[in-house]
Amino acid sequence: MTMPIFPADVLERAARIRLIGFDVDGTLTDGGLQFDSDGREHKRFHVQDGLGLVLLRQAGIEVALVSARRSEVTLARGRELKVARLHIGERGKLDCMRGIAADMGIGMDQAAFMGDDLPDLAVMRAVGLAIAPANAHPWVLPATHWVTPHRGGEGAARDACDLLLHAQGKVEAILEHGEHP
């Protein structure tokens, strides 16, 4: 099996992670907002990203969705993936992630966050591993430790999940299982 080549400092950071928070719009989605004529919101999520979140959870890495936008679609996707920590409509992403880390009894150096734009910047600066999708806004890049090869909503979150699983030596056990969990 061939894994991407990750920088040594990124692997070192990823090996310590016990919690990862994901922004939603622009990270788990392509950032587009679609509304039908009745005002109902529609979003497109990538199935491989979803499986990546499930694999992280099964590997013992806590997953949180932390989105500034209130969205029933996001809540439904989080519930479908059995993400226990759904923080939707959360304007204070840094305080939210600090609270989750404190609840878990870990430091922010053991937390990662994946985001793509200004609402994510403060938390990206505070975590042990900051990840951005390939199409992240340039203003967040100085705070980013690793940029995924894929764009938001096109497998970027799976890239982040695979990085953590690889850095923590979990990939071989997943491959031995050989089927969807």
Side-chain angles (χ1 to χ4, degrees):
M1 176 198 59
T2 304
M3 286 297 296
I5 297 175
F6 300 107
D9 64 317
V10 170
L11 285 172
E12 183 179 317
R13 289 173 179 277
R16 294 189 301 258
I17 300 304
R18 296 191 40 215
L19 161 67
I20 183 167
F22 289 90
D23 170 51
V24 178
D25 297 315
T27 303
L28 292 177
T29 74
D30 65 7
L33 298 175
Q34 298 176 353
F35 295 91
D36 66 20
S37 61
D38 294 322
R40 288 182 301 238
E41 181 181 41
H42 301 270
K43 295 184 185 194
R44 181 183 162 277
F45 294 92
H46 197 290
V47 70
Q48 290 180 358
D49 289 345
L51 180 57
L53 300 184
V54 170
L55 292 172
L56 286 182
R57 216 174 14 79
Q58 291 177 341
I61 298 169
E62 188 74 21
V63 173
L65 300 186
V66 184
S67 178
R69 285 194 78 251
R70 190 113 189 83
S71 168
E72 292 302 316
V73 175
T74 298
L75 284 170
R77 181 62 172 153
R79 289 180 186 130
E80 178 186 29
L81 297 173
K82 296 179 176 61
V83 175
R85 298 184 186 267
L86 296 173
H87 299 271
I88 310 304
E90 183 63 60
R91 296 287 178 192
K93 293 183 181 187
L94 176 56
D95 288 340
C96 179
M97 286 293 290
R98 282 184 174 147
I100 296 169
D103 286 348
M104 294 176 62
I106 64 171
M108 289 296 281
D109 62 319
Q110 293 178 290
F113 194 83
M114 184 171 187
D116 71 307
D117 211 339
L118 285 177
D120 309 313
L121 187 56
V123 68
M124 291 174 77
R125 287 177 173 155
V127 294
L129 177 62
I131 303 169
N135 60 325
H137 194 280
W139 291 352
V140 300
L141 296 180
T144 303
H145 299 109
W146 187 61
V147 176
T148 67
H150 291 95
R151 298 168 57 86
E154 298 177 5
R158 180 60 179 268
D159 293 336
C161 296
D162 290 353
L163 164 64
L164 295 180
L165 294 167
H166 173 73
Q168 296 185 19
K170 311 270 186 181
V171 173
E172 291 304 319
I174 292 168
L175 292 175
E176 279 182 30
H177 190 260
E179 60 187 53
H180 184 284

